[in-house]
Amino acid sequence: MLWKMIDVADNERALVYRRNRLATILMPGRQRLWALGQDLRVEHYDITAVEFNHPRLKFLLRQYQPLFDGVVDAVQLTDREVGLVYRDGKLADILPPGGLLATWRGGEQVSVSVVDITSDYQIGDDVIGLLGRGATLANNRTLAQAISYSEVPDEQVGMLFVNGKLEKMLTTGRYGFWLYNRSISVKLVDLRLQTLDVSGQEILTKDRVSLRINLTASFKIVDAKSVALQLKDYLNFLYLELQLRLREAVGTKNLDELLVDKDLLNAVIAEGVRNRVTDYGINLLSVGVKDIILPGDMKQILNQVVEAQKEAEANLIKRHEETQAMRSLHNTAKVMENNPVLLRLKELEALERITTKIDKISVYGGLDSVLHGLVKLAPATSAQ
């Protein structure tokens, strides 16, 4: 066979090899190739796939550059560059440092924006809007390895660490950083009012009574940089300080002192902890003992003491009231003794109260016996 007919579709390009050497690149159409005595091999490529992938891509582009000019566009990055690949004006991929991208002409419009990340590793806000959520590059497996995306909410501050060193503080907003050639992390610190509970602390008082105490504290971070650089875990640090000061304060007080004035315990704990945490950028606002829980037997004893105290107070009040009543009755008797009219009115008042409880009264001797003989409070006069 002297000639070989090759058909190349509109969406194809064909690489022709003669004796394992690239001879030409065929464009769409029917081509007739001389095949007599030739070891002819043809490779078809679909340009709608955009990228030109070949096991020896770099070698072919370098060795046969004149053949690929006008057919393939190639971009080679250095180790300090990153490429943003756009297809028809839309961000489609990320080309890592040192990467090589070859694309067929005649398909999609492909462009690569090269970014030097030697010193400027922060991604621009216009690009991070596309990369941050991975909306455009949802199927790109390298995205998570390419960028570090962080959002700093309101009332929080972010600390940017590059290769383990604190570089700068980040205010509210969204941020993206290239991860290539460096290690990047962002630590968030909440500047809002926070609370911390220290619960279920079993502590002995000075008089050897075991108590279970629950404590709560409120605080704010006022120096995020000091907290981040000096404390590995500021919540655990604050918890241990509160726990230690609580045990010290309870261990120096008797049970009666703790029950009488819990505010004194709060003040002692707050002062001790505040002096410790202020140097680390933490402002302790308040400390309060929520519960003091007694053991069962001690609770029963205290209940009996309180019951006896209240009973004694009740008896005292009762005796006081009885004394007041007798004194008032005595005063009334002295007034009526020297005033016959008042005495008679008192007799009639007593009569009125009696008659309200009687359904029927039989009267003998007329009305005078009712008024003068039925009720007589004054003592009888002795016969002369």
Side-chain angles (χ1 to χ4, degrees):
M1 180 182 295
L2 300 178
W3 300 92
K4 182 176 182 180
M5 305 303 295
I6 304 296
D7 290 325
V8 181
D10 290 340
N11 63 317
E12 290 183 336
R13 302 291 183 268
L15 271 61
V16 179
Y17 293 86
R18 295 180 184 273
R19 297 176 182 176
N20 291 326
R21 296 190 62 196
L22 182 61
T24 186
I25 299 177
L26 301 181
M27 303 301 286
R30 169 163 287 194
Q31 309 287 342
R32 188 175 68 167
L33 302 179
W34 178 260
L36 181 63
Q38 303 288 329
D39 182 10
L40 198 65
R41 178 166 55 89
V42 180
E43 295 179 353
H44 291 263
Y45 290 88
D46 186 354
I47 66 172
T48 60
V50 182
E51 292 189 34
F52 171 37
N53 294 314
H54 194 280
R56 296 180 295 276
L57 176 62
K58 187 177 295 187
F59 171 79
L60 290 179
L61 294 177
R62 184 184 299 113
Q63 187 71 20
Y64 302 101
Q65 181 180 354
L67 291 178
F68 287 100
D69 285 344
V71 179
V72 172
D73 292 324
V75 176
Q76 174 71 62
L77 299 182
T78 68
D79 291 338
R80 298 180 179 275
E81 294 177 333
V82 172
L84 300 176
V85 182
Y86 292 86
R87 291 185 178 181
D88 292 335
K90 297 181 181 179
L91 182 61
D93 203 354
I94 298 174
L95 191 61
L100 171 62
L101 176 66
T103 57
W104 294 104
R105 286 190 179 183
E108 298 180 19
Q109 183 67 35
V110 179
S111 62
V112 179
S113 177
V114 179
V115 180
D116 189 344
I117 61 172
T118 304
S119 57
D120 187 11
Y121 46 83
Q122 183 170 348
I123 304 174
D125 191 65
D126 55 337
V127 177
I128 197 60
L130 301 174
L131 295 178
R133 295 296 186 182
T136 306
L137 309 178
N139 298 322
N140 194 325
R141 297 180 180 179
T142 63
L143 180 61
Q145 301 175 350
I147 69 169
S148 171
Y149 178 81
S150 300
E151 291 183 354
V152 181
D154 288 333
E155 299 299 327
Q156 295 190 31
V157 65
M159 288 167 290
L160 175 64
F161 290 88
V162 180
N163 296 330
K165 179 182 177 182
L166 178 62
E167 289 292 333
K168 62 180 178 179
M169 310 297 289
L170 305 179
T171 57
T172 302
R174 62 184 181 184
Y175 298 88
F177 305 95
W178 295 111
L179 289 175
Y180 298 117
N181 305 332
R182 57 183 55 85
S183 171
I184 290 181
S185 63
V186 176
K187 182 178 181 180
L188 297 179
V189 177
D190 198 333
L191 302 180
R192 295 172 295 182
L193 178 66
Q194 302 180 60
T195 59
L196 182 63
D197 291 330
V198 182
S199 304
Q201 299 300 305
E202 299 281 351
I203 309 174
L204 285 176
T205 63
K206 186 177 180 180
D207 48 355
R208 301 292 181 178
V209 178
S210 177
L211 301 178
R212 178 177 294 175
I213 299 179
N214 297 325
L215 183 73
T216 186
S218 62
F219 66 96
K220 291 186 70 174
I221 303 297
V222 295
D223 189 347
K225 185 175 181 180
S226 295
V227 169
L229 295 181
Q230 300 185 64
L231 298 176
K232 180 179 180 181
D233 185 348
Y234 69 89
L235 285 177
N236 186 58
F237 169 76
L238 183 57
Y239 180 92
L240 293 177
E241 286 295 325
L242 288 169
Q243 184 186 53
L244 179 60
R245 300 301 174 183
L246 174 62
R247 292 183 175 276
E248 290 179 354
V250 173
T252 58
K253 298 287 189 300
N254 293 324
L255 177 61
D256 291 340
E257 295 177 294
L258 296 176
L259 296 179
V260 169
D261 189 2
K262 288 195 299 182
D263 290 338
L264 178 61
L265 186 62
N266 297 339
V268 172
I269 298 173
E271 181 180 2
V273 176
R274 187 175 290 113
N275 293 336
R276 282 281 294 158
V277 302
T278 300
D279 294 338
Y280 297 98
I282 301 175
N283 182 18
L284 184 67
L285 300 177
S286 65
V287 175
V289 175
K290 295 194 297 184
D291 304 300
I292 297 180
I293 303 173
L294 300 170
D297 52 351
M298 182 58 67
K299 187 183 300 183
Q300 183 178 0
I301 293 173
L302 286 180
N303 287 336
Q304 292 174 354
V305 171
V306 172
E307 183 179 353
Q309 290 176 344
K310 295 302 180 182
E311 185 177 353
E313 292 177 2
N315 291 333
L316 181 61
I317 293 173
K318 183 177 179 180
R319 288 194 297 271
H320 179 73
E321 293 298 327
E322 289 177 350
T323 302
Q324 292 292 336
M326 289 297 294
R327 184 178 291 112
S328 177
L329 188 61
H330 177 263
N331 293 335
T332 302
K334 289 182 65 177
V335 171
M336 290 190 297
E337 181 180 8
N338 299 321
N339 194 331
V341 175
L342 184 60
L343 177 61
R344 186 57 182 164
L345 288 174
K346 195 67 177 176
E347 292 176 350
L348 293 175
E349 183 183 344
L351 175 62
E352 181 182 7
R353 286 198 300 268
I354 292 173
T355 55
T356 58
K357 300 180 180 181
I358 299 175
D359 293 334
K360 183 178 180 181
I361 300 177
S362 298
V363 178
Y364 300 94
L367 185 59
D368 184 67
S369 69
V370 175
L371 296 176
H372 298 285
L374 183 60
V375 177
K376 183 174 293 186
L377 297 179
T381 304
S382 59
Q384 298 294 328

